Coordinates of all heavy atoms in Angstrom, one line a residue:
M1 N -200.1 74.8 -17.7 CA -199.9 73.5 -17.1 C -198.7 72.8 -17.8 O -198.5 72.8 -18.9 CB -201.1 72.6 -17.4 CG -202.2 72.9 -16.4 SD -203.8 72.2 -16.9 CE -203.4 70.4 -16.7
L2 N -198.0 72.1 -16.9 CA -196.7 71.5 -17.3 C -196.8 70.4 -18.3 O -196.0 70.3 -19.2 CB -196.0 71.0 -16.0 CG -194.6 70.7 -16.1 CD1 -193.8 71.9 -16.5 CD2 -194.1 70.3 -14.7
F3 N -197.8 69.6 -18.2 CA -197.9 68.3 -18.9 C -198.9 68.4 -20.1 O -199.3 67.3 -20.6 CB -198.2 67.1 -18.0 CG -197.1 66.9 -17.0 CD1 -197.4 67.0 -15.7 CD2 -195.8 66.6 -17.4 CE1 -196.4 66.7 -14.7 CE2 -194.8 66.4 -16.5 CZ -195.1 66.5 -15.1
V4 N -199.3 69.6 -20.5 CA -200.4 69.6 -21.5 C -199.8 70.3 -22.7 O -199.2 71.3 -22.7 CB -201.6 70.4 -21.0 CG1 -202.6 70.5 -22.1 CG2 -202.2 69.7 -19.8
E5 N -200.0 69.6 -23.9 CA -199.7 70.2 -25.1 C -201.0 70.8 -25.7 O -201.9 70.2 -26.2 CB -199.2 69.1 -26.1 CG -198.8 69.6 -27.4 CD -198.3 68.4 -28.3 OE1 -197.6 67.6 -27.8 OE2 -198.8 68.4 -29.5
K6 N -201.1 72.2 -25.5 CA -202.3 72.9 -26.0 C -202.1 73.2 -27.5 O -201.1 73.8 -27.9 CB -202.5 74.2 -25.2 CG -203.0 73.9 -23.8 CD -203.3 75.3 -23.1 CE -203.7 75.1 -21.7 NZ -204.0 76.4 -21.0
K7 N -203.1 72.9 -28.2 CA -203.1 73.2 -29.6 C -204.6 73.2 -30.1 O -205.5 73.0 -29.3 CB -202.3 72.2 -30.4 CG -202.8 70.7 -30.2 CD -201.9 69.8 -30.9 CE -202.4 68.3 -30.8 NZ -201.7 67.4 -31.5
D8 N -204.8 73.6 -31.3 CA -206.2 73.5 -31.8 C -206.7 72.1 -31.7 O -206.0 71.1 -32.0 CB -206.2 73.9 -33.3 CG -205.9 75.4 -33.4 OD1 -206.0 76.2 -32.4 OD2 -205.6 75.9 -34.5
G9 N -207.9 72.0 -31.2 CA -208.5 70.6 -31.1 C -208.1 70.1 -29.7 O -208.3 70.8 -28.7
C10 N -207.6 68.9 -29.7 CA -207.4 68.2 -28.4 C -206.1 68.8 -27.7 O -205.1 69.1 -28.3 CB -207.3 66.7 -28.6 SG -208.8 66.0 -29.1
W11 N -206.2 68.9 -26.4 CA -205.1 69.2 -25.5 C -204.6 67.9 -25.0 O -205.2 67.3 -24.1 CB -205.4 70.1 -24.4 CG -206.0 71.5 -24.8 CD1 -206.1 72.0 -26.0 CD2 -206.4 72.5 -23.8 NE1 -206.6 73.3 -25.9 CE2 -206.8 73.6 -24.6 CE3 -206.5 72.6 -22.5 CZ2 -207.3 74.8 -24.1 CZ3 -207.0 73.7 -21.9 CH2 -207.4 74.8 -22.7
L12 N -203.4 67.5 -25.4 CA -203.0 66.1 -25.1 C -202.2 66.2 -23.8 O -201.2 67.0 -23.6 CB -202.2 65.5 -26.2 CG -203.0 65.3 -27.5 CD1 -202.1 64.7 -28.6 CD2 -204.2 64.5 -27.3
W13 N -202.5 65.3 -22.9 CA -201.8 65.1 -21.6 C -200.5 64.4 -21.9 O -200.4 63.3 -22.4 CB -202.7 64.3 -20.7 CG -202.1 64.1 -19.3 CD1 -201.5 63.0 -18.8 CD2 -202.0 65.1 -18.3 NE1 -201.1 63.2 -17.5 CE2 -201.4 64.5 -17.2 CE3 -202.4 66.4 -18.2 CZ2 -201.1 65.1 -16.0 CZ3 -202.2 67.1 -17.0 CH2 -201.5 66.5 -15.9
K14 N -199.4 65.1 -21.4 CA -198.0 64.5 -21.6 C -197.4 63.9 -20.4 O -196.3 63.6 -20.4 CB -197.1 65.6 -22.2 CG -197.5 66.2 -23.5 CD -197.5 65.1 -24.6 CE -197.8 65.6 -26.0 NZ -197.9 64.5 -26.9
G15 N -198.2 63.9 -19.3 CA -197.7 63.3 -18.1 C -197.9 61.9 -18.0 O -198.0 61.2 -19.0
K16 N -198.0 61.4 -16.8 CA -198.3 59.9 -16.6 C -199.7 59.5 -17.1 O -200.6 60.3 -17.0 CB -198.1 59.6 -15.1 CG -196.7 59.7 -14.6 CD -196.7 59.4 -13.1 CE -195.3 59.6 -12.6 NZ -195.3 59.5 -11.1
L17 N -199.8 58.3 -17.4 CA -201.0 57.7 -17.8 C -201.3 56.5 -17.0 O -200.4 55.8 -16.5 CB -201.0 57.3 -19.3 CG -200.7 58.4 -20.3 CD1 -200.6 57.8 -21.7 CD2 -201.8 59.5 -20.3
H18 N -202.6 56.3 -16.7 CA -203.0 55.0 -16.0 C -204.3 54.5 -16.6 O -204.8 55.0 -17.6 CB -202.9 55.2 -14.5 CG -204.1 55.7 -13.9 ND1 -204.3 55.6 -12.5 CD2 -205.2 56.3 -14.4 CE1 -205.5 56.2 -12.2 NE2 -206.0 56.6 -13.3
G19 N -204.9 53.6 -15.9 CA -206.0 52.9 -16.4 C -205.6 51.6 -17.0 O -204.5 51.3 -17.3
R20 N -206.6 50.8 -17.3 CA -206.3 49.4 -17.8 C -205.5 49.5 -19.1 O -204.7 48.7 -19.4 CB -207.7 48.7 -18.1 CG -207.5 47.3 -18.5 CD -208.8 46.5 -18.4 NE -209.9 47.3 -19.1 CZ -211.2 47.0 -19.1 NH1 -211.6 45.9 -18.5 NH2 -212.1 47.7 -19.7
D21 N -205.8 50.5 -19.9 CA -205.1 50.7 -21.2 C -204.1 51.8 -21.2 O -203.6 52.2 -22.2 CB -206.1 50.9 -22.3 CG -207.1 49.8 -22.4 OD1 -206.7 48.6 -22.3 OD2 -208.3 50.1 -22.7
H22 N -203.8 52.3 -20.0 CA -202.8 53.4 -19.9 C -203.2 54.5 -20.8 O -202.4 55.0 -21.6 CB -201.4 52.9 -20.1 CG -200.9 52.0 -19.1 ND1 -200.3 52.5 -17.9 CD2 -200.9 50.7 -19.0 CE1 -200.0 51.4 -17.2 NE2 -200.4 50.3 -17.8
D23 N -204.5 54.9 -20.7 CA -204.9 56.0 -21.7 C -205.5 57.2 -20.9 O -205.7 58.2 -21.6 CB -205.9 55.4 -22.7 CG -207.0 54.5 -22.0 OD1 -207.0 54.5 -20.7 OD2 -207.8 54.0 -22.7
Y24 N -205.7 57.1 -19.6 CA -206.1 58.3 -18.9 C -204.9 59.0 -18.2 O -204.1 58.3 -17.6 CB -207.1 57.9 -17.8 CG -208.5 57.5 -18.3 CD1 -208.8 56.1 -18.6 CD2 -209.5 58.4 -18.6 CE1 -210.0 55.8 -19.1 CE2 -210.7 58.1 -19.1 CZ -211.0 56.7 -19.3 OH -212.2 56.4 -19.8
G25 N -204.9 60.3 -18.4 CA -203.8 61.0 -17.8 C -204.1 61.2 -16.3 O -205.2 61.3 -15.9
Y26 N -203.0 61.3 -15.5 CA -203.2 61.6 -14.1 C -201.9 62.2 -13.6 O -200.9 62.2 -14.2 CB -203.5 60.3 -13.3 CG -202.3 59.4 -12.9 CD1 -201.8 59.5 -11.7 CD2 -201.8 58.6 -13.8 CE1 -200.7 58.7 -11.3 CE2 -200.8 57.7 -13.5 CZ -200.2 57.8 -12.3 OH -199.1 57.0 -11.9
F27 N -202.1 62.8 -12.4 CA -200.9 63.3 -11.7 C -201.1 63.1 -10.2 O -202.3 62.8 -9.8 CB -200.6 64.8 -12.0 CG -201.7 65.7 -11.7 CD1 -201.7 66.4 -10.5 CD2 -202.7 66.0 -12.7 CE1 -202.8 67.3 -10.2 CE2 -203.7 66.9 -12.4 CZ -203.8 67.5 -11.2
R28 N -200.1 63.1 -9.5 CA -200.1 62.7 -8.1 C -199.9 64.0 -7.2 O -199.0 64.8 -7.5 CB -199.0 61.7 -7.8 CG -199.0 61.2 -6.4 CD -198.2 59.9 -6.3 NE -199.1 58.8 -6.8 CZ -198.7 57.5 -6.9 NH1 -197.5 57.2 -6.5 NH2 -199.5 56.6 -7.3
I29 N -200.7 64.2 -6.3 CA -200.5 65.4 -5.4 C -200.3 64.9 -4.0 O -200.8 63.9 -3.6 CB -201.7 66.4 -5.4 CG1 -203.0 65.7 -5.0 CG2 -201.9 67.0 -6.8 CD1 -204.1 66.6 -4.6
S30 N -199.5 65.7 -3.3 CA -199.3 65.4 -1.8 C -200.5 65.9 -1.1 O -201.1 67.0 -1.3 CB -198.1 66.1 -1.4 OG -198.0 66.0 0.0
N31 N -201.0 65.1 -0.2 CA -202.3 65.4 0.5 C -202.0 65.6 2.0 O -202.7 65.0 2.8 CB -203.3 64.3 0.2 CG -204.7 64.8 0.5 OD1 -204.9 66.0 0.6 ND2 -205.6 63.9 0.5
G32 N -200.9 66.3 2.3 CA -200.6 66.5 3.7 C -200.2 65.2 4.4 O -199.6 64.4 3.8
R33 N -200.7 65.1 5.6 CA -200.3 63.9 6.4 C -200.9 62.6 5.9 O -200.4 61.5 6.2 CB -200.7 64.1 7.9 CG -199.6 64.7 8.8 CD -200.1 64.9 10.2 NE -201.0 66.0 10.2 CZ -201.7 66.4 11.3 NH1 -201.5 65.8 12.4 NH2 -202.5 67.5 11.3
T34 N -202.0 62.7 5.2 CA -202.6 61.5 4.7 C -201.9 60.9 3.5 O -202.4 59.8 3.1 CB -204.1 61.8 4.4 OG1 -204.2 62.8 3.4 CG2 -204.9 62.2 5.6
G35 N -200.9 61.5 3.0 CA -200.2 60.9 1.9 C -200.5 61.5 0.6 O -200.7 62.7 0.5
V36 N -200.5 60.7 -0.4 CA -200.6 61.2 -1.8 C -201.9 60.7 -2.4 O -202.5 59.7 -1.9 CB -199.5 60.7 -2.7 CG1 -198.2 61.3 -2.2 CG2 -199.4 59.2 -2.8
R37 N -202.4 61.4 -3.4 CA -203.6 61.1 -4.0 C -203.4 61.3 -5.5 O -202.8 62.2 -6.0 CB -204.7 62.1 -3.6 CG -206.1 61.7 -3.8 CD -207.1 62.3 -2.8 NE -207.4 63.7 -3.2 CZ -208.4 64.1 -3.9 NH1 -209.2 63.1 -4.4 NH2 -208.7 65.3 -4.2
D38 N -204.0 60.4 -6.3 CA -203.9 60.5 -7.8 C -205.1 61.2 -8.3 O -206.2 60.9 -7.9 CB -203.8 59.1 -8.4 CG -202.5 58.4 -8.1 OD1 -201.5 59.1 -7.8 OD2 -202.4 57.2 -8.2
I39 N -204.8 62.2 -9.1 CA -205.9 63.0 -9.7 C -206.0 62.7 -11.2 O -204.9 62.8 -11.9 CB -205.6 64.5 -9.5 CG1 -205.4 64.8 -8.1 CG2 -206.8 65.3 -10.1 CD1 -206.6 64.7 -7.2
L40 N -207.1 62.3 -11.7 CA -207.3 62.1 -13.1 C -207.2 63.5 -13.8 O -208.0 64.4 -13.4 CB -208.6 61.4 -13.5 CG -208.6 59.9 -13.1 CD1 -210.0 59.4 -13.2 CD2 -207.7 59.2 -14.0
S41 N -206.4 63.6 -14.8 CA -206.1 65.0 -15.4 C -207.4 65.5 -16.1 O -207.6 66.7 -16.0 CB -205.0 64.9 -16.4 OG -205.2 63.8 -17.3
H42 N -208.2 64.7 -16.7 CA -209.4 65.3 -17.4 C -210.4 65.8 -16.3 O -211.1 66.7 -16.6 CB -210.0 64.3 -18.4 CG -210.5 63.0 -17.8 ND1 -209.7 62.0 -17.4 CD2 -211.8 62.6 -17.7 CE1 -210.4 61.0 -16.9 NE2 -211.7 61.3 -17.1
R43 N -210.5 65.1 -15.2 CA -211.4 65.5 -14.1 C -210.9 66.8 -13.5 O -211.6 67.8 -13.2 CB -211.6 64.5 -13.0 CG -212.3 63.3 -13.5 CD -212.5 62.2 -12.4 NE -213.4 62.7 -11.4 CZ -214.8 62.5 -11.4 NH1 -215.3 61.9 -12.4 NH2 -215.5 63.0 -10.5
W44 N -209.5 66.9 -13.4 CA -208.9 68.1 -12.8 C -209.2 69.3 -13.8 O -209.6 70.4 -13.4 CB -207.4 67.9 -12.7 CG -206.8 69.2 -12.2 CD1 -206.6 69.6 -10.9 CD2 -206.2 70.2 -13.0 NE1 -206.0 70.9 -10.9 CE2 -205.8 71.2 -12.2 CE3 -206.1 70.4 -14.4 CZ2 -205.2 72.4 -12.7 CZ3 -205.5 71.5 -14.9 CH2 -205.1 72.5 -14.0
A45 N -209.0 69.1 -15.1 CA -209.2 70.1 -16.1 C -210.6 70.6 -16.1 O -210.9 71.8 -16.2 CB -208.8 69.6 -17.5
Y46 N -211.6 69.7 -16.0 CA -213.0 70.1 -16.0 C -213.2 71.0 -14.8 O -213.9 72.1 -14.9 CB -213.9 68.8 -15.9 CG -215.3 69.2 -16.0 CD1 -216.0 69.1 -17.3 CD2 -216.1 69.6 -14.9 CE1 -217.3 69.5 -17.4 CE2 -217.4 69.9 -15.0 CZ -218.0 69.9 -16.3 OH -219.4 70.2 -16.4
E47 N -212.8 70.6 -13.6 CA -213.0 71.4 -12.4 C -212.3 72.7 -12.5 O -212.8 73.7 -12.0 CB -212.7 70.6 -11.2 CG -213.5 69.4 -11.0 CD -213.7 68.9 -9.6 OE1 -212.6 68.9 -8.9 OE2 -214.8 68.5 -9.2
Y48 N -211.1 72.7 -13.0 CA -210.3 73.9 -13.1 C -211.0 75.0 -14.0 O -211.0 76.1 -13.7 CB -208.9 73.6 -13.6 CG -207.9 74.8 -13.5 CD1 -207.3 75.1 -12.3 CD2 -207.7 75.5 -14.7 CE1 -206.4 76.2 -12.3 CE2 -206.8 76.6 -14.7 CZ -206.2 76.9 -13.5 OH -205.3 78.0 -13.5
Y49 N -211.4 74.5 -15.2 CA -211.9 75.5 -16.1 C -213.5 75.7 -16.1 O -214.0 76.7 -16.4 CB -211.6 75.0 -17.6 CG -210.1 75.1 -17.8 CD1 -209.3 74.0 -17.8 CD2 -209.5 76.3 -18.1 CE1 -207.9 74.1 -18.1 CE2 -208.2 76.4 -18.4 CZ -207.4 75.3 -18.4 OH -206.0 75.4 -18.6
K50 N -214.2 74.7 -15.6 CA -215.6 74.7 -15.7 C -216.3 74.7 -14.4 O -217.5 75.2 -14.3 CB -216.2 73.6 -16.6 CG -215.7 73.6 -18.0 CD -216.3 72.5 -18.8 CE -217.1 73.2 -20.0 NZ -217.7 72.1 -20.9
G51 N -215.7 74.2 -13.4 CA -216.3 74.2 -12.0 C -216.5 72.8 -11.5 O -216.1 71.8 -12.2
P52 N -216.9 72.7 -10.3 CA -217.0 71.4 -9.7 C -217.8 70.4 -10.5 O -218.9 70.7 -11.0 CB -217.7 71.6 -8.3 CG -217.4 73.1 -8.1 CD -217.4 73.7 -9.4
I53 N -217.4 69.1 -10.5 CA -218.2 68.1 -11.1 C -219.3 67.7 -10.1 O -219.0 67.3 -9.0 CB -217.3 66.9 -11.4 CG1 -216.1 67.3 -12.4 CG2 -218.1 65.7 -12.0 CD1 -215.0 66.2 -12.5
P54 N -220.5 67.7 -10.6 CA -221.6 67.3 -9.7 C -221.4 65.9 -9.2 O -220.9 65.0 -10.0 CB -222.9 67.4 -10.6 CG -222.5 68.4 -11.7 CD -221.0 68.2 -11.9
S55 N -221.7 65.7 -7.9 CA -221.4 64.4 -7.3 C -222.1 63.2 -8.1 O -223.2 63.3 -8.5 CB -221.7 64.3 -5.9 OG -223.1 64.3 -5.7
G56 N -221.3 62.2 -8.3 CA -221.9 61.0 -9.0 C -221.7 61.0 -10.5 O -222.0 60.0 -11.1
L57 N -221.3 62.1 -11.0 CA -221.2 62.2 -12.5 C -219.8 61.8 -13.0 O -218.8 62.0 -12.3 CB -221.6 63.6 -13.0 CG -223.0 64.1 -12.8 CD1 -223.3 65.3 -13.6 CD2 -224.0 63.0 -13.1
S58 N -219.8 61.3 -14.2 CA -218.5 60.9 -14.8 C -218.2 62.0 -15.8 O -219.1 62.7 -16.3 CB -218.6 59.6 -15.6 OG -219.0 58.6 -14.7
I59 N -217.0 62.1 -16.2 CA -216.6 63.0 -17.3 C -216.5 62.2 -18.6 O -215.7 61.3 -18.7 CB -215.3 63.7 -17.0 CG1 -215.4 64.6 -15.7 CG2 -214.8 64.6 -18.1 CD1 -216.5 65.6 -15.8
D60 N -217.3 62.7 -19.6 CA -217.2 62.0 -20.9 C -216.3 62.9 -21.8 O -216.4 64.1 -21.8 CB -218.6 61.9 -21.5 CG -218.6 61.1 -22.8 OD1 -217.9 60.2 -22.9 OD2 -219.4 61.5 -23.7
H61 N -215.6 62.2 -22.6 CA -214.8 62.8 -23.7 C -215.6 62.9 -24.9 O -215.8 61.8 -25.6 CB -213.5 62.1 -23.9 CG -212.4 62.3 -22.9 ND1 -212.3 61.6 -21.8 CD2 -211.4 63.3 -22.9 CE1 -211.2 62.0 -21.1 NE2 -210.7 63.1 -21.7
L62 N -216.0 64.1 -25.3 CA -216.8 64.2 -26.5 C -216.0 63.8 -27.8 O -216.5 63.4 -28.8 CB -217.3 65.6 -26.7 CG -218.2 66.1 -25.5 CD1 -218.6 67.6 -25.7 CD2 -219.5 65.2 -25.4
C63 N -214.7 63.9 -27.6 CA -213.8 63.7 -28.8 C -213.3 62.2 -28.8 O -212.6 61.8 -29.7 CB -212.6 64.6 -28.7 SG -211.6 64.5 -27.2
S64 N -213.6 61.5 -27.7 CA -213.1 60.1 -27.5 C -211.6 59.9 -27.4 O -211.1 58.8 -27.6 CB -213.6 59.2 -28.7 OG -215.0 59.1 -28.6
V65 N -210.9 61.0 -27.2 CA -209.5 61.0 -27.0 C -209.3 61.0 -25.5 O -209.4 62.1 -24.8 CB -208.7 62.1 -27.7 CG1 -207.2 62.1 -27.4 CG2 -209.0 62.1 -29.1
R66 N -208.9 59.9 -24.9 CA -209.0 59.8 -23.4 C -207.9 60.5 -22.7 O -208.0 60.7 -21.5 CB -209.1 58.3 -23.0 CG -210.5 57.8 -23.2 CD -210.7 56.4 -22.7 NE -210.5 55.5 -23.8 CZ -210.7 54.2 -23.7 NH1 -211.1 53.6 -22.6 NH2 -210.6 53.4 -24.8
N67 N -206.8 60.9 -23.3 CA -205.8 61.7 -22.6 C -206.0 63.1 -23.0 O -205.0 63.9 -22.8 CB -204.4 61.1 -22.9 CG -204.0 61.2 -24.3 OD1 -204.8 61.3 -25.2 ND2 -202.7 61.3 -24.6
C68 N -207.1 63.5 -23.6 CA -207.4 64.9 -23.9 C -207.9 65.6 -22.7 O -208.8 65.1 -22.0 CB -208.4 65.0 -25.0 SG -209.0 66.6 -25.4
V69 N -207.4 66.8 -22.4 CA -207.9 67.6 -21.3 C -208.5 68.9 -21.7 O -208.6 69.8 -20.8 CB -206.8 67.8 -20.2 CG1 -206.4 66.4 -19.6 CG2 -205.6 68.5 -20.7
N70 N -208.8 69.1 -22.9 CA -209.5 70.3 -23.4 C -210.9 70.4 -22.7 O -211.7 69.6 -23.0 CB -209.6 70.4 -24.9 CG -210.1 71.7 -25.4 OD1 -210.8 72.4 -24.7 ND2 -209.8 71.9 -26.7
P71 N -211.1 71.4 -21.9 CA -212.4 71.5 -21.2 C -213.6 71.6 -22.2 O -214.7 71.1 -21.8 CB -212.3 72.7 -20.3 CG -211.2 73.5 -20.9 CD -210.2 72.5 -21.5
E72 N -213.3 72.1 -23.4 CA -214.4 72.2 -24.4 C -214.8 70.8 -24.9 O -215.8 70.6 -25.5 CB -214.0 73.0 -25.5 CG -213.7 74.5 -25.1 CD -214.9 75.1 -24.4 OE1 -216.1 74.9 -24.9 OE2 -214.7 75.8 -23.4
H73 N -214.0 69.8 -24.6 CA -214.3 68.4 -25.1 C -214.8 67.5 -24.0 O -215.0 66.4 -24.2 CB -213.0 67.8 -25.7 CG -212.5 68.5 -26.9 ND1 -211.3 68.0 -27.6 CD2 -212.9 69.5 -27.6 CE1 -211.1 68.8 -28.6 NE2 -212.1 69.8 -28.6
L74 N -215.0 68.1 -22.8 CA -215.4 67.4 -21.6 C -216.8 67.7 -21.2 O -217.2 68.9 -21.2 CB -214.4 67.6 -20.5 CG -212.9 67.4 -20.7 CD1 -212.1 67.8 -19.5 CD2 -212.7 65.9 -21.0
E75 N -217.5 66.7 -20.9 CA -218.9 66.9 -20.4 C -219.2 66.0 -19.2 O -218.9 64.8 -19.3 CB -219.9 66.7 -21.5 CG -221.3 67.0 -21.2 CD -222.3 66.7 -22.3 OE1 -221.9 66.2 -23.4 OE2 -223.5 67.0 -22.1
A76 N -219.8 66.6 -18.2 CA -220.2 65.8 -17.0 C -221.5 65.1 -17.3 O -222.5 65.7 -17.7 CB -220.4 66.7 -15.8
V77 N -221.5 63.8 -17.3 CA -222.7 63.0 -17.6 C -222.8 61.9 -16.5 O -221.9 61.6 -15.8 CB -222.6 62.3 -18.9 CG1 -222.5 63.3 -20.1 CG2 -221.4 61.4 -19.0
T78 N -224.0 61.3 -16.4 CA -224.2 60.2 -15.5 C -223.5 59.0 -16.0 O -223.1 58.9 -17.2 CB -225.7 59.8 -15.4 OG1 -226.2 59.4 -16.7 CG2 -226.5 61.0 -14.9
T79 N -223.2 58.1 -15.1 CA -222.5 56.9 -15.5 C -223.2 56.1 -16.6 O -222.7 55.6 -17.5 CB -222.2 56.0 -14.3 OG1 -221.5 56.7 -13.3 CG2 -221.4 54.7 -14.6
A80 N -224.6 56.1 -16.4 CA -225.4 55.3 -17.4 C -225.3 56.0 -18.7 O -225.2 55.3 -19.8 CB -226.9 55.3 -16.9
E81 N -225.3 57.3 -18.8 CA -225.2 58.0 -20.1 C -223.8 57.8 -20.7 O -223.6 57.5 -21.9 CB -225.4 59.5 -19.8 CG -225.2 60.4 -21.1 CD -226.1 60.1 -22.2 OE1 -227.1 59.4 -22.1 OE2 -225.8 60.7 -23.3
N82 N -222.8 57.8 -19.8 CA -221.4 57.6 -20.3 C -221.3 56.2 -20.9 O -220.7 56.0 -21.9 CB -220.5 57.7 -19.1 CG -219.0 58.0 -19.5 OD1 -218.8 58.4 -20.7 ND2 -218.1 57.8 -18.6
N83 N -221.9 55.2 -20.2 CA -221.8 53.8 -20.7 C -222.6 53.7 -22.0 O -222.1 53.0 -23.0 CB -222.4 52.8 -19.7 CG -221.5 52.7 -18.5 OD1 -220.3 53.0 -18.6 ND2 -222.0 52.2 -17.4
R84 N -223.7 54.4 -22.1 CA -224.5 54.3 -23.3 C -223.7 54.9 -24.5 O -223.7 54.3 -25.6 CB -225.8 55.1 -23.1 CG -226.9 54.9 -24.2 CD -228.0 55.9 -24.1 NE -227.5 57.3 -24.3 CZ -227.2 57.8 -25.5 NH1 -227.3 57.0 -26.6 NH2 -226.8 59.0 -25.6
R85 N -223.0 56.0 -24.2 CA -222.2 56.6 -25.3 C -221.1 55.7 -25.7 O -220.7 55.6 -26.8 CB -221.7 57.9 -24.8 CG -222.8 59.0 -24.7 CD -222.2 60.3 -24.3 NE -223.2 61.3 -24.0 CZ -223.0 62.6 -23.7 NH1 -221.7 63.0 -23.6 NH2 -224.0 63.4 -23.6
S86 N -220.5 55.1 -24.7 CA -219.3 54.2 -25.0 C -219.8 53.1 -25.9 O -219.1 52.7 -26.8 CB -218.8 53.6 -23.7 OG -218.2 54.6 -22.9
V87 N -220.9 52.5 -25.6 CA -221.4 51.4 -26.5 C -221.7 52.0 -27.9 O -221.3 51.4 -28.9 CB -222.7 50.8 -25.9 CG1 -223.4 49.9 -26.9 CG2 -222.4 50.1 -24.6
A88 N -222.3 53.1 -28.0 CA -222.6 53.8 -29.3 C -221.3 54.0 -30.1 O -221.3 53.9 -31.3 CB -223.3 55.1 -29.1
R89 N -220.2 54.3 -29.4 CA -219.0 54.6 -30.1 C -218.2 53.3 -30.3 O -217.1 53.3 -30.9 CB -218.1 55.5 -29.2 CG -218.6 56.9 -29.2 CD -217.8 57.7 -28.2 NE -218.4 59.1 -28.0 CZ -218.4 59.8 -26.9 NH1 -217.7 59.2 -25.8 NH2 -218.9 60.9 -26.8
G90 N -218.7 52.2 -29.8 CA -218.1 50.9 -30.1 C -216.8 50.6 -29.3 O -215.9 49.8 -29.8
R91 N -216.6 51.3 -28.2 CA -215.4 51.0 -27.4 C -215.7 50.3 -26.1 O -214.9 50.1 -25.3 CB -214.7 52.3 -27.1 CG -215.3 53.2 -26.0 CD -214.6 54.5 -25.8 NE -215.2 55.2 -24.7 CZ -215.2 56.5 -24.5 NH1 -214.6 57.3 -25.4 NH2 -215.7 57.1 -23.4
H92 N -216.9 49.8 -26.0 CA -217.3 49.0 -24.8 C -216.7 47.6 -24.9 O -216.7 47.0 -25.9 CB -218.8 49.0 -24.7 CG -219.3 48.5 -23.4 ND1 -219.2 49.2 -22.2 CD2 -219.8 47.3 -23.0 CE1 -219.7 48.5 -21.2 NE2 -220.1 47.4 -21.6
R93 N -216.2 47.2 -23.7 CA -215.6 45.9 -23.7 C -216.2 45.0 -22.6 O -216.6 45.6 -21.6 CB -214.1 45.9 -23.5 CG -213.4 46.1 -24.8 CD -211.9 46.5 -24.7 NE -211.9 47.9 -24.2 CZ -210.7 48.6 -24.1 NH1 -209.6 48.0 -24.4 NH2 -210.8 49.8 -23.7
Ligands
ZN101 ZN1 -210.3 66.4 -27.2

């Protein structure tokens, strides 16, 4: 992948970032006649390496590094579980 710095531990996304804090990696793909679509890089990485994300689930970063795309650091969880973990890690706002 073009925009990933793979190393031991976190694979850091080197492409564009977005989100309120510009901390989630994303890239834009052309979607034929319907235009373009933004893909979150950690969701893409999860699906590429581990398989489809069950519908309704969020991807949690076990390492809390939000531009990390190492599939070993990603886990599909419910939104409620994701929020619970966020609070536990003290990053909830
Ligand atoms: Zn990581």
Side-chain angles (χ1 to χ4, degrees):
M1 279 168 69
L2 198 53
F3 296 120
V4 177
E5 180 183 315
K6 286 187 185 178
K7 54 182 183 178
D8 290 343
C10 294
W11 297 359
L12 299 180
W13 182 253
K14 295 297 183 184
K16 292 177 181 171
L17 300 175
H18 85 166
R20 188 168 46 185
D21 301 320
H22 294 274
D23 47 6
Y24 287 94
Y26 79 101
F27 59 95
R28 183 162 283 184
I29 60 166
S30 170
N31 202 10
R33 263 178 289 178
T34 56
V36 296
R37 198 154 80 92
D38 288 339
I39 307 289
L40 286 170
S41 52
H42 62 289
R43 292 182 68 89
W44 177 87
Y46 185 95
E47 296 207 317
Y48 185 83
Y49 291 102
K50 298 187 118 174
I53 298 167
S55 72
L57 295 192
S58 302
I59 298 300
D60 184 39
H61 281 91
L62 300 175
C63 58
S64 294
V65 177
R66 282 183 264 186
N67 65 335
C68 170
V69 296
N70 185 339
E72 296 305 317
H73 295 180
L74 304 175
E75 186 181 0
V77 297
T78 62
T79 302
E81 173 66 8
N82 201 15
N83 289 341
R84 193 191 62 76
R85 291 181 183 185
S86 294
V87 171
R89 289 171 187 151
R91 74 185 188 206
H92 192 72
R93 275 166 288 190

